[in-house]
Each structure stands twice: as structure tokens, then as C-alpha cells.
């Protein structure tokens, strides 16, 4: 539940959407990304942190430099608008399963 | 990893198929759809009526912390075959989603596993797509609202 909200938080913000667009075709360092925005560098870092936490971005270390790149698998999941719907049913069925497992052990003891 | 719950909704069709395999014997899976107090637990809602029989009807309702009803849904049961099949209608009150026809098929896989096929048919393609997109739209709205709340506090 938390993870899903975070992903939507990520794509709902215009700066973060711009970052994702920027990284669509290339991997870039935080500095190079920040150079594309008027916002302060720490703000851009915060956006990168959120996108990384949501697994929309991955980091790749090249010597002392950290490059950011898009996690294509996760992006595809977000692009698929059915996924939140599926997740709701999955959560619901998981709950059904755990309740009935408890019910079973309670009634066979 | 293979997903336990699958949703198949082809473009341009007014139906969808939700499939799930459970680590539960068929009897227990079916019981979760028939016993009102168990339905209440996993659906997170109050069951006002659940007549599990042919031509029976059902009604559920969810209230917020203040006791206001925020969700009410119901329908009729057209067919009821224990541990095999339930055919029913589903309608959410005060929404534009119309009535949906739901065909539940319960299958035994092994002594300890079972499968549910949920075939849902909507009044139109547009209504099906609206229902499918609802959680996606809510996710984005929630994020927007949170950003708005934070922005309001900064004012």
C-alpha cells in the first residue's frame, strides 16, 4: 500500500516527471540533472531520492560518480493503469487467505 | 515472480476476468464468500444481508469513523451452487458505474489449493474502463492532495 502511494506521489510531481523524461534516453549524474532545473540543487537531490526509493530510478557507480538511470521494469508497471486495480484485489485476496488460514487452524485444533 | 492475482481486461470489451489461486482448500475459499462475518473481515465492510441461495439478495455498507455511510452496494444472487459457482449482480449506490454481472467459479486444484475465476460483465466498455481506472485516478489524486496539503501549510 505504502509503495504504491509512493510511486504515484513520484509521478504526480511535475519536476519528478521532468527528471524521468530527462533520463528516458540517457543516464546522468545528479549535477548534470540539476543543471536542467532552476530549483536549488538540494531540491533536485530530494526528488532523486524519492524516485530512487520508489524504485523508478537506479544508481550506477562509475568511479566516484553516481549515475542515475531509469528502472524500465518499474516504469512499465506504473504505465500500466490496471496495476493499482489489480493490487487492490491482490491485497483483498491476501487478506481472505490469511483469515481463512487462521480459521482453519482454529477449527482443527 | 508469477503474480497470484491476475486481471485480464482486453481493449474494447465490456468484461474482465480476475483470477486468483489460493493456498486454501476449496471448502474454506467458498466459506469466505458465504459466511457474513468472514466476508466482513476480508472485505472490510459491514454485511447487512447475504442470502446465499438462488434468488437471494445481498447488501453491504461501509461507514467512516463518524458513522456516516461512505459506501453501499448490493445485488441479487441468480445462481448458487455450493463450492462451484455463484452468479450475482453488483451495484454501487450513488455512483455512475451501473450494474455489473459477476460470475464466480470456484475450482479445487489440490486438497490444499483452489482457484477462483471471477468473470465480471459491465453495461458498457466505458463503464468497465471507468471502474478499472478508478484506483489509478485515486492514487494520483491522493498524491496531489498530499502535495496540496503540504503547500497549504507552507503558505
Amino acid at each position: 500500500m505504502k509503495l504504491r502511494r509512493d510511486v504515484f506521489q513520484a509521478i504526480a510531481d511535475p519536476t519528478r516527471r521532468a527528471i524521468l523524461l530527462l533520463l528516458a534516453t540517457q543516464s546522468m549524474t545528479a549535477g548534470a540533472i540539476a543543471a536542467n532545473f532552476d530549483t536549488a540543487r538540494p531540491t533536485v537531490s530530494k526528488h532523486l531520492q524519492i524516485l530512487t526509493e520508489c524504485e523508478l530510478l537506479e544508481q550506477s557507480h562509475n568511479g566516484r560518480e553516481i549515475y542515475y538511470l531509469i528502472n524500465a521494469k518499474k516504469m512499465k508497471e506504473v504505465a500500466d493503469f490496471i496495476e493499482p486495480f489489480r493490487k487492490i484485489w491482490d491485497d483483498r485476496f491476501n487478506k481472505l487467505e490469511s483469515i481463512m488460514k487462521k480459521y482453519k487452524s482454529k477449527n482443527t485444533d | 515472480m508469477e503474480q497470484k492475482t491476475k486481471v485480464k481486461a482486453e481493449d474494447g470489451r465490456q468484461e474482465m476476468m480476475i483470477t486468483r489461486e489460493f493456498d486454501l482448500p476449496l471448502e474454506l475459499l467458498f466459506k469466505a464468500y458465504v459466511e457474513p462475518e468472514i466476508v466482513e473481515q476480508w472485505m472490510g465492510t459491514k454485511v447487512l444481508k447475504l442470502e446465499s441461495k438462488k434468488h437471494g439478495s445481498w447488501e453491504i455498507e461501509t461507514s467512516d469513523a463518524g458513522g456516516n455511510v461512505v459506501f453501499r452496494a448490493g445485488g441479487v444472487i441468480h445462481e448458487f451452487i455450493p463450492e462451484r459457482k455463484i452468479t450475482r449482480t453488483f451495484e454501487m449506490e450513488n455512483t455512475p458505474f451501473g450494474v455489473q454481472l459477476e460470475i464466480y467459479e470456484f475450482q479445487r486444484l489440490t486438497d490444499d489449493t483452489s482457484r477462483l475465476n471471477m468473470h465480471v460483465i459491465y453495461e458498457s466498455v466505458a463503464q468497465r474502463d471507468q471502474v478499472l481506472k478508478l484506483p489509478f485516478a485515486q492514487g494520483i489524486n491522493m498524491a496531489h492532495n498530499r502535495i496540496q496539503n503540504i503547500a497549504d501549510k507552507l503558505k
Side-chain angles (χ1 to χ4, degrees), chain A residues 21-94:
Chain A
L21 275 175
L22 208 53
L23 292 171
T25 51
Q26 58 193 329
S27 60
M28 295 168 81
T29 62
I33 296 166
N36 287 276
F37 298 95
D38 293 333
T39 37
R41 171 76 190 264
T43 313
V44 172
S45 298
K46 186 72 193 161
H47 286 312
L48 289 173
Q49 190 196 328
I50 291 168
L51 289 168
T52 308
E53 280 167 8
C54 300
E55 297 171 20
L56 287 169
L57 292 186
E58 288 172 344
Q59 295 180 353
S60 142
H61 296 257
N62 187 352
R64 287 173 59 189
E65 306 249 64
I66 297 171
Y67 284 83
Y68 287 88
L69 55 142
I70 288 220
N71 177 354
K73 200 171 156 241
K74 193 74 187 177
M75 283 298 281
K76 192 177 170 295
E77 200 177 289
V78 176
D80 183 358
F81 73 85
I82 289 180
E83 179 55 23
F85 179 86
R86 194 197 68 79
K87 187 73 170 50
I88 284 178
W89 278 98
D90 198 43
D91 291 345
R92 204 174 273 168
F93 287 144
N94 288 342

Side-chain angles (χ1 to χ4, degrees), chain B residues 26-143:
Chain B
L26 173 63
E27 311 82 73
L28 282 180
L29 170 61
F30 194 76
K31 201 182 259 292
Y33 274 85
V34 175
E35 298 284 332
E37 59 275 21
I38 299 175
V39 174
E40 286 189 340
Q41 287 179 54
W42 69 267
M43 285 285 292
T45 187
K46 196 168 187 283
V47 175
L48 303 178
K49 185 159 83 167
L50 179 58
E51 299 170 330
S52 293
K53 60 177 187 189
K54 189 177 170 75
H55 300 162
S57 69
W58 66 277
E59 207 176 358
I60 58 174
E61 169 180 290
T62 307
S63 305
D64 64 14
N68 307 303
V69 175
V70 290
F71 169 86
R72 187 181 283 142
V76 296
I77 292 158
H78 184 81
E79 189 178 20
F80 185 85
I81 307 172
E83 293 175 12
R84 261 183 61 199
K85 193 176 178 187
I86 298 172
T87 305
R88 68 173 200 183
T89 55
F90 175 103
E91 185 174 25
M92 267 189 274
E93 269 185 27
N94 301 316
T95 68
F97 302 123
V99 181
Q100 59 197 57
L101 178 64
E102 301 181 334
I103 300 154
Y104 293 80
E105 280 182 308
F106 300 84
Q107 296 171 342
R108 176 190 179 279
L109 294 176
T110 66
D111 283 350
D112 299 311
T113 59
S114 51
R115 183 193 288 130
L116 170 66
N117 292 325
M118 193 178 156
H119 184 189
V120 188
I121 301 152
Y122 296 83
E123 288 182 41
S124 66
V125 177
Q127 281 183 350
R128 185 206 68 169
D129 288 350
Q130 248 183 326
V131 172
L132 269 176
K133 282 175 189 163
L134 197 61
F136 182 81
Q138 279 169 344
I140 289 185
N141 283 340
M142 258 191 312

Side-chain angles (χ1 to χ4, degrees), chain A residues 9-28:
Chain A
Q9 183 186 348
I11 58 170
D13 180 88
T15 306
R16 288 197 283 274
R17 278 204 298 269
I19 291 173
L20 291 172
L21 275 175
L22 208 53
L23 292 171
T25 51
Q26 58 193 329
S27 60
M28 295 168 81

